[in-house]
Amino acid sequence: MKLAARNLSKRFGAQYALRDVSFEVAPGQVHALCGENGAGKSTLIKVLSGIHSEYEGELLVDDRPQRFTGIRDAERAGIAVIHQELALVPELSAAENIFLGHEPTRFGMIDRARMERESRQLLAQLGSSIDVRTPVRELGVGQAQLIEIARALHKQARVLILDEPTAALSEREVTALFAVLKAMTGVSLVYVSHRLREVFALADQITVLRDGRSILSMPARETDERALVRHMVGRPIENVFPSREVELGEIALRVSELNVGRLSDIELEVRAGEVLGVGGLVGAGRSELLLHLFGAWGTRRGGHVTLNGAPYDVATPARSIARGLVLVNEDRKQQGLVLEQTVGFNFTLSSLREFARLGVIDAQREQERQQLLSERVQLRPPDLDRAVSALSGGNQQKVVLGRALASRPRVLLLDEPTRGVDVGARAEIYALIAELCAQGMAVVLVTSELPELIGLADRIVMMVDGQVGGTFTRAEATEEALLAAALRRAS
């Protein structure tokens, strides 16, 4: 199936989100769509999938003009979308979500045996053995993403649009997904990802969007990552991972023989001025570890935690913030932000006590702090009154980081801080982490991306099945060594 856009433009009021965008996906082609957050990728996907039906220009399927009035229209034409934000029903099982709206029947009743059997087959293609009867609310983010992908595969689309499909997946799951996508015949793929290595590993053709316009379209083999970044941001970005002189201070956080939930015998420490990386496959226990240290998950069965030189055995979020330990969690929209509120509101939400006197907020002092935080995280545009829901993913992540810094922490826990963030914003977040460490902050960084672990961390702990599977210095850390540690007892 051939899908083409000709001079597509989409306005919201007087502002153009897309302007004269053109691109073409050939039958069986993998066409990557690249650009910074806010470049227009999401708007274009919504036009292609029928969510936005009012636009200028032309959309063609097999050279025939189309104008979809809804998602069902696009699906009937053979277009399916896996959106970056999960669209699952938490209380339904994995199988029920995969077949939602397309349930097989037998004698007028839902054929659950067939539904579960075919769900297992779809997930097996993705290298997953998830129990298809498990409610989605009991699955991790990575497992839930696999359910989304299986649901799209079930629709047998002729054009499959994947919007950041690997954002929550481990290296092994990404490899399994790529094997499936490469084996699909007769299906055209539109692949959206900020992970440029994935783009070059998978794509035949690349189209770059910048500021709502299509800048260029070319075969992937005719360009490289450096040139692609330059086209995406309009300027070269050198040394994405900043070089820095590491001056270690006292131990800021020490964990000894920690046992909680499925975590057992966890041993680690991080010093002032250091970045401790924590890696592992999805489900290894990385996020649970950070949540427990912050006081938001699990009842400790044993072990000790020392924070800034003093025992810290009974943690709560409020107590952690007061003692200088702050968490930036992996799901900014569900757990990190109040989306309908403003940027300024979100910046100072966790530090309101600092601006209160006799129970009344000093609005001027609060606004001054909000402005400083906006400048520190390089928010663009620096509009404190704008709703957070209207920001790009990169700017939303900057707001979460700004709020964490508002309480002046000494230990910063970061869980997937660059998930769904474009290359330009990533470089700015990396530079901010380096600056914080230079000022004496201790950082614990959880990330699924091995290059990010190697590029940022001074030491790396790889977790396997709730335990520490290996610890590496910067000199010892290679992608092969880290992946081998993550797989040591994972299969």
Side-chain angles (χ1 to χ4, degrees), residues 37 45 52 143 163 189 244 256 260 287 301 385 410 427:
N37 289 115
I45 289 172
H52 292 327
Q143 293 173 314
D163 186 6
L189 302 179
R244 59 190 180 90
S256 304
V260 53
S287 296
R301 301 191 311 273
D385 296 323
R410 297 172 64 185

Side-chain angles (χ1 to χ4, degrees), residues 10 14 54 98 124-125 145 168 173-174 186 205 244 248 264 293 319 336 347 351 358 367-368 418 431 436 481:
K10 172 63 180 174
E54 298 298 324
I98 291 171
Q125 293 178 45
Q145 181 70 76
E173 290 165 332
V174 170
Q205 188 83 3
R244 59 190 180 90
L248 301 184
S264 60
L293 294 175
R319 191 175 297 151
F347 266 146
S351 53
L358 301 176
Q367 188 172 26
E368 289 172 355
T418 62
L436 295 173

Side-chain angles (χ1 to χ4, degrees), residues 367-377 384:
Q367 188 172 26
E368 289 172 355
R369 174 61 62 80
Q370 292 168 350
Q371 187 62 48
L372 287 172
L373 291 169
S374 175
E375 294 170 2
R376 189 170 194 187
V377 300
L384 297 176

Side-chain angles (χ1 to χ4, degrees), residues 225-295:
E225 288 194 25
R226 179 172 295 185
L228 186 58
V229 168
R230 185 172 64 252
H231 291 305
M232 288 167 59
V233 303
R235 65 189 188 279
I237 293 182
E238 306 293 345
N239 301 321
V240 173
F241 297 109
S243 59
R244 59 190 180 90
E245 295 294 330
V246 181
E247 296 184 13
L248 301 184
E250 299 295 322
I251 294 174
L253 177 69
R254 172 180 281 157
V255 178
S256 304
E257 300 179 339
L258 179 67
N259 289 276
V260 53
R262 56 191 296 271
L263 305 181
S264 60
D265 299 322
I266 302 295
E267 298 267 354
L268 60 83
E269 66 180 36
V270 57
R271 294 177 176 271
E274 182 180 28
V275 177
L276 176 68
V278 180
L281 304 180
V282 172
R286 303 166 303 166
S287 296
E288 290 89 340
L289 173 61
L290 296 197
L291 285 167
H292 178 73
L293 294 175
F294 186 58

Side-chain angles (χ1 to χ4, degrees), residues 30-35 195-208 215-233:
V30 180
H31 197 124
L33 194 59
C34 297
R195 298 177 174 180
L196 299 186
R197 288 202 310 169
E198 293 182 4
V199 168
F200 284 99
L202 193 63
D204 305 307
Q205 188 83 3
I206 299 174
T207 291
V208 174
I215 302 300
L216 61 85
S217 186
M218 66 171 65
R221 64 179 180 273
E222 294 182 7
T223 187
D224 57 27
E225 288 194 25
R226 179 172 295 185
L228 186 58
V229 168
R230 185 172 64 252
H231 291 305
M232 288 167 59
V233 303

